[in-house]
Amino acid sequence: MTQSTHPFDEALALQPLGEAAQGRWSGVASPAYWNMVGPYGGITAATALQGLMQHPHLLGEPVACTFNYPAALNEAPFELSLRPVRTTRTTQHWTLEMIQPDAQGERGVVLTGTVLTGKRRDTWGQIDHAMPVVPAPESVSQEPRIAGVEWINRYEFRTLEGAVPPAWNGQGEHSRSRGWMRDRPPRVMDFPSLLAMADFFYPRVWLRRGLRLPAGTVTMTVYFHADADELRTIGDDYLLGQAQAQVFHKGFFDQTAQLWSRSGQLLATSQQVMYFKD
Amino acid sequence: MTQSTHPFDEALALQPLGEAAQGRWSGVASPAYWNMVGPYGGITAATALQGLMQHPHLLGEPVACTFNYPAALNEAPFELSLRPVRTTRTTQHWTLEMIQPDAQGERGVVLTGTVLTGKRRDTWGQIDHAMPVVPAPESVSQEPRIAGVEWINRYEFRTLEGAVPPAWNGQGEHSRSRGWMRDRPPRVMDFPSLLAMADFFYPRVWLRRGLRLPAGTVTMTVYFHADADELRTIGDDYLLGQAQAQVFHKGFFDQTAQLWSRSGQLLATSQQVMYFKD
């Protein structure tokens, strides 16, 4: 299998609408990454970032991005538009939007976002949130799949802590999951795949409450702490991922996440808000 | 002093440009919250949120917001525009932008942002990031001001840990600050003031490296975990604030933050990216 036929790359395929510099693209959500309702949010974000990285006016590399999910995407073609709002010598600020017709044919916004790109420079560096000491991925077994959700089959997850509860008995003690993860089949790391992985973790409320309640991401922010060369060097090796909630309050909760390389580089940090119903 | 003359409320004053439903406002950055270059980022974000909260189509209350800072604001009037992108039964997604002429009279974007508002409902709740056990604010002394930065005089900060280093000797051991904080003079808590306080913490690189390096916020995300009634109940009491970096990498670093009420409610969680030069 060559990289160009990897399901992740197929999912990110975009067709330009007009000149590339106009930042308008057309695409279709991939059934390979389908979630319960609409595609996996991580793949939608990665697709938007992919469009940005193909923009001829791009300065530097992705540093930070926020995506908001006003509505689930459907199977119809969507339109992605990207705008470089302001460019300085070292940074560039972008806004983006995805629009799609609903079942009645009415066009609506299904994704909004902002992205900061910038030129990284060699400076002093320090990791203050160190990777926990855990067994190597080769010695950890893979977590069984959740039946009926297609996108989960696109990832391998070797759980160290906080697996999806085997029974929904209303018992939960904490909200933290940890495990080794990678694309399935393996794929060389880049910014879109790192972004998609930051959204990997299932709703913390399921773990904390021991109940499979309706829940979904409404907004997600991801910060990248690696450059393209560092990501390439990781190749298709596992990342250690960790997610944890800080607070559940009146229908919403947060999830923080960290993704480290096997060598301990903290590649990405993230937070998101999910709604939940009980 | 009545609440209407509090410097925070004066700083947030906006004049409508046209009908309120158009979501266009004019304002001027307050010298009372001036930072080294331009106004304090927290007050700019709070001003944008204030505009949103005056919008006649607002659904619910703020849940999450992201602000990006492409350029420092100057003393000229700015224009704020807010757009409700999509409204569901329980949530509403907004995009916003602030535009201002530069010294040469050329208009440019100085703030972009997205905000999620929503209706909170009584549900099960849980705080997983508990407030640390610390002395009451009355028994902690106030941290001395940094000379020459006006906005810091608008806050009281009683430092428990991680004060601004008294000497810049290149020695640092951690990146965490903790302390009790409130408006100065005291002011009853609301969403804009909570948002502004989430940006209170000085650059973590100063603490971690023990060097006062050039640094500034480029993007900030704040999640609110309280409703308007809960904030009102806090009155003008102190909040416990905590900030910590996870990673410093090639010219950028992150800051996570938590703000608790004295009774231990986790009111807001935040993360931001700052650039730094060394």
Side-chain angles (χ1 to χ4, degrees), chain B residues 19-260:
Chain B
E19 295 295 311
Q22 293 177 9
R24 291 179 60 239
W25 301 88
S26 168
V28 179
S30 166
Y33 285 85
W34 214 254
N35 201 347
M36 280 180 281
V37 180
Y40 168 51
I43 202 77
T44 305
T47 304
L49 186 64
Q50 178 74 358
L52 187 148
M53 295 191 71
Q54 293 172 25
H55 199 291
H57 298 166
L58 172 65
L59 178 97
E61 298 178 345
V63 173
C65 46
T66 293
F67 299 94
N68 304 283
Y69 299 88
L73 270 73
N74 57 37
E75 297 88 344
F78 59 78
E79 192 179 310
L80 168 68
S81 54
L82 296 144
R83 187 166 65 103
V85 166
R86 189 152 187 167
T87 304
T88 70
R89 207 168 42 81
T90 55
T91 61
Q92 189 171 49
H93 286 265
W94 297 78
T95 60
L96 63 89
E97 204 167 84
M98 233 181 230
I99 291 178
Q100 194 179 48
D102 66 14
Q104 286 73 46
E106 198 175 332
R107 284 161 56 91
V109 176
V110 291
L111 184 79
T112 66
T114 60
V115 182
L116 167 70
T117 64
K119 291 185 182 169
R120 291 187 169 85
R121 299 169 301 105
D122 283 330
T123 60
W124 168 85
Q126 170 72 33
I127 295 169
D128 270 11
H129 194 152
M131 182 167 76
V133 177
V134 296
E138 290 76 8
S139 64
V140 182
S141 61
Q142 184 168 347
E143 186 169 336
R145 307 271 187 273
I146 308 170
V149 183
E150 184 54 32
W151 75 270
I152 201 78
N153 298 316
R154 302 288 87 74
Y155 290 97
E156 191 183 334
F157 194 70
R158 298 174 176 266
T159 307
L160 294 153
E161 182 183 353
V164 176
W168 302 105
N169 59 6
Q171 307 283 313
E173 288 174 3
H174 66 86
S175 61
R176 192 173 71 190
S177 290
R178 267 183 192 166
W180 293 104
M181 57 203 296
R182 63 174 178 177
D183 284 305
R184 186 185 174 89
R187 179 181 173 281
V188 173
M189 181 60 53
D190 56 15
F191 288 108
S193 67
L194 185 58
L195 172 58
M197 285 186 194
D199 190 34
F200 176 83
F201 301 93
Y202 69 90
R204 300 296 88 196
V205 72
W206 295 4
L207 180 59
R208 192 65 179 87
R209 286 208 69 189
L211 293 176
R212 193 166 174 177
L213 303 171
T217 303
V218 283
T219 181
M220 171 173 70
T221 292
V222 179
Y223 298 158
F224 301 112
H225 311 287
D227 61 27
D229 287 342
E230 289 166 325
L231 295 184
R232 241 188 320 268
T233 304
I234 292 166
D236 62 6
D237 197 10
Y238 295 90
L239 303 188
L240 181 69
Q242 172 174 291
Q244 188 161 19
Q246 296 186 90
V247 55
F248 304 82
H249 177 266
K250 297 194 176 178
F252 298 98
F253 62 94
D254 75 329
Q255 301 199 176
T256 62
Q258 293 82 31
L259 296 171
W260 293 270

Side-chain angles (χ1 to χ4, degrees), chain A residues 63-64 66 68-71 83 85-86 88 93 95 97 108-110 112 114 116 119-129 175 205 208-209 218-219 221 223 225-227 230 245-252 254 258 265-266 269-273 276-278, chain B residues 63-64 66 68-71 83 85-86 88 93 95 97 108-110 112 114 116 119-129 175 205 208-209 218-219 221 223 225-227 230 245-252 254 258 265-266 269-273 276-278:
Chain A
V63 174
T66 294
N68 304 284
Y69 299 88
R83 185 167 67 103
V85 166
R86 188 151 187 168
T88 71
H93 286 265
T95 60
E97 204 166 85
V109 176
V110 291
T112 67
T114 60
L116 167 70
K119 292 185 183 169
R120 291 186 169 86
R121 300 168 302 106
D122 283 330
T123 61
W124 167 84
Q126 170 72 34
I127 295 170
D128 270 12
H129 194 151
S175 61
V205 72
R208 191 66 179 87
R209 287 208 72 188
V218 284
T219 181
T221 292
Y223 298 158
H225 311 287
D227 61 26
E230 288 166 325
Q246 297 186 90
V247 54
F248 305 82
H249 176 266
K250 297 194 176 178
F252 298 97
D254 76 331
Q258 293 82 30
Q265 183 177 357
L266 182 49
T269 53
S270 172
Q271 65 180 8
Q272 64 171 256
V273 172
F276 74 104
K277 291 179 184 170
D278 73 353
Chain B
V63 173
T66 293
N68 304 283
Y69 299 88
R83 187 166 65 103
V85 166
R86 189 152 187 167
T88 70
H93 286 265
T95 60
E97 204 167 84
V109 176
V110 291
T112 66
T114 60
L116 167 70
K119 291 185 182 169
R120 291 187 169 85
R121 299 169 301 105
D122 283 330
T123 60
W124 168 85
Q126 170 72 33
I127 295 169
D128 270 11
H129 194 152
S175 61
V205 72
R208 192 65 179 87
R209 286 208 69 189
V218 283
T219 181
T221 292
Y223 298 158
H225 311 287
D227 61 27
E230 289 166 325
Q246 296 186 90
V247 55
F248 304 82
H249 177 266
K250 297 194 176 178
F252 298 98
D254 75 329
Q258 293 82 31
Q265 184 177 356
L266 182 47
T269 54
S270 172
Q271 64 180 9
Q272 64 171 256
V273 172
F276 74 104
K277 292 180 184 168
D278 72 354

Side-chain angles (χ1 to χ4, degrees), chain A residues 23-104:
Chain A
R24 290 180 60 237
W25 301 88
S26 169
V28 179
S30 166
Y33 286 85
W34 214 255
N35 201 346
M36 279 180 283
V37 180
Y40 168 51
I43 202 77
T44 305
T47 304
L49 185 64
Q50 177 73 358
L52 187 150
M53 296 191 69
Q54 294 173 23
H55 199 290
H57 298 167
L58 173 65
L59 178 97
E61 298 177 344
V63 174
C65 46
T66 294
F67 298 95
N68 304 284
Y69 299 88
L73 271 72
N74 58 38
E75 296 87 345
F78 59 77
E79 191 180 312
L80 168 67
S81 53
L82 296 143
R83 185 167 67 103
V85 166
R86 188 151 187 168
T87 304
T88 71
R89 208 167 41 81
T90 54
T91 61
Q92 190 171 48
H93 286 265
W94 296 78
T95 60
L96 63 89
E97 204 166 85
M98 232 182 231
I99 291 177
Q100 195 178 49
D102 65 13
Q104 286 73 47

